[in-house]
Amino acid sequence: MTIFQTAVNAEGYLHPLYAQSFSDFGTPIFLPNSKGWLIKRRIFNSPYFDAMGPYPLFFCKDWDLLIDDLEALREQIVSVSLVISPFSVFPKEAFESYFDPFHTYKPHYILDLSLPLNSTISKNKRRNASRALREISIDLIKSPNIDLFEWFDLYQKLIKRHHISGIRAFSHDSFKNQIAIPNTHYFRAFHGNSIVGGNLFYIQGDVAYAHLSAFTEVGYRTGAPYAIKWVALIYLSDIVRWVNFGGSPDVENGKKTGLDQFKLGWSNSSEHSFFCGKILNESIYHDLVSSLKTSDMSFFPAYR
């Protein structure tokens, strides 16, 4: 397929396979000028479509041409929304002027691997990792050798533990695409001969993105999350400058969640991502919002 020819030098979230992994939710659209991907979705109870950036972050190769690509979609979609990584270098003034909502979004927890781990990782996290590694062993598998069934089974345990639904409840077919992306790193935690956890990282340039992690009950009980993070960081410090642990998928009135606190202990700075939304067909957009009879316009798009 032509779109897969764009995979040359595409990494992590930029790879066509990552966009394809959202086919359960819509149709991947390649942006030919900026060379990014959107997911085109049907709007519930209507003949219309909108688009979103792949979860959790949208990337493209030429940010200066993104607006041109979005303008070319005016006849196809009602609105578009996306989240931009703290590491992305984009024309901020132009985006502030163009997008309807454009604002800082969730903080992402960042680790600078050029600094010694013993001085940047909290003492508590290092102690917990050291204790866990008395029982836990860690190994590393890279794509295309990642076992889909093993990882999918681990992630089902995460879904059940945290009652995950919607776009974050990735399907078997979705993970088939995600773990096939070149240079995907899968760190695995074992207790004896049993796998008790795993952590997927995407490598993009000089940044490792902590994509997803999942653990069994035994994994949590034996401290596998600490062991796997510590071993992964030692390894990654030889190949990248930064690790982006992402932010918390759930926000509780602006307060830090337990996941925020865990990521905070593995980082030495935080930077905000950016949320962007654009209404491309104002007439249809406002008709859709009016049909809902809602006055809450804080969410974008307001009809969802």
Side-chain angles (χ1 to χ4, degrees):
M1 294 176 64
T2 301
I3 57 173
F4 281 90
Q5 293 175 3
T6 66
V8 177
N9 297 324
E11 301 174 300
Y13 293 122
L14 256 176
H15 199 280
L17 284 172
Y18 193 71
Q20 292 294 319
S21 76
F22 292 91
S23 294
D24 293 341
F25 292 90
T27 303
I29 302 175
F30 179 60
L31 304 177
N33 297 304
S34 60
K35 295 180 172 53
W37 292 85
L38 295 175
I39 311 301
K40 181 179 178 181
R41 310 173 295 177
R42 181 174 288 279
I43 300 171
F44 184 68
N45 276 346
S46 86
Y48 306 115
F49 295 85
D50 62 11
M52 68 173 195
Y55 174 87
L57 294 168
F58 170 85
F59 289 89
C60 65
K61 289 192 174 183
D62 193 334
W63 292 97
D64 290 325
L65 297 179
L66 176 60
I67 292 176
D68 292 341
D69 280 329
L70 298 184
E71 286 297 300
L73 294 174
R74 281 189 177 273
E75 299 301 317
Q76 296 185 45
I77 60 177
V78 175
S79 69
V80 61
S81 56
L82 46 90
V83 178
I84 301 176
S85 163
F87 284 99
S88 296
V89 180
F90 58 90
K92 187 176 180 182
E93 289 187 8
F95 280 20
E96 287 176 328
S97 175
Y98 176 74
F99 285 103
D100 297 309
F102 176 90
H103 54 77
T104 56
Y105 195 46
K106 298 175 182 178
H108 282 223
Y109 300 101
I110 310 297
L111 177 63
D112 182 350
L113 287 172
S114 69
L115 303 174
L117 290 177
N118 283 332
S119 63
T120 54
I121 303 303
S122 73
K123 184 177 180 179
N124 181 58
K125 294 290 189 293
R126 288 184 281 120
R127 181 175 59 247
N128 288 341
S130 178
R131 183 183 300 122
L133 286 168
R134 298 170 191 166
E135 296 185 66
I136 299 294
S137 60
I138 310 296
D139 73 3
L140 169 62
I141 302 292
K142 300 179 186 178
S143 56
N145 299 316
I146 300 171
D147 187 324
L148 172 61
F149 294 95
E150 176 186 286
W151 168 251
F152 185 73
D153 182 63
L154 272 176
Y155 199 76
Q156 295 312 295
K157 292 175 172 56
L158 182 77
I159 288 175
K160 183 177 180 180
R161 180 183 180 91
H162 294 288
H163 310 290
I164 295 172
S165 61
I167 202 166
R168 292 167 53 216
F170 296 108
S171 68
H172 189 273
D173 286 343
S174 177
F175 278 134
K176 183 178 180 180
N177 284 309
Q178 291 188 24
I179 66 171
I181 294 171
N183 210 24
T184 299
H185 286 53
Y186 174 40
F187 294 89
R188 306 189 300 169
F190 286 87
H191 185 255
N193 294 321
S194 300
I195 187 162
V196 294
N199 202 165
L200 292 173
F201 285 83
Y202 287 142
I203 311 299
Q204 289 184 225
D206 211 16
V207 183
Y209 287 86
H211 178 48
L212 294 167
S213 62
F215 300 90
T216 67
E217 291 302 323
V218 173
Y220 284 113
R221 189 168 65 249
T222 55
Y226 298 94
I228 209 167
K229 284 286 190 296
W230 180 252
V231 173
L233 294 180
I234 292 173
Y235 176 88
L236 292 169
S237 64
D238 288 332
I239 61 174
V240 296
R241 166 71 185 276
W242 308 94
V243 177
N244 183 346
F245 290 108
S248 173
D250 303 305
V251 177
E252 298 177 356
N253 299 319
K255 297 180 180 179
K256 286 185 170 60
T257 65
L259 182 57
D260 282 296
Q261 296 291 354
F262 181 79
K263 292 180 176 182
L264 187 61
W266 294 103
S267 60
N268 52 23
S269 67
S270 66
E271 298 289 343
H272 279 88
S273 55
F274 294 87
F275 180 85
C276 311
K278 179 63 180 178
I279 300 171
L280 294 173
N281 189 314
E282 292 195 13
S283 175
I284 294 176
Y285 183 92
H286 292 300
D287 285 347
L288 290 168
V289 173
S290 297
S291 69
L292 294 178
K293 298 180 174 60
T294 177
S295 59
D296 182 9
M297 301 296 287
S298 61
F299 186 83
F300 187 92
Y303 52 76
R304 281 197 177 270

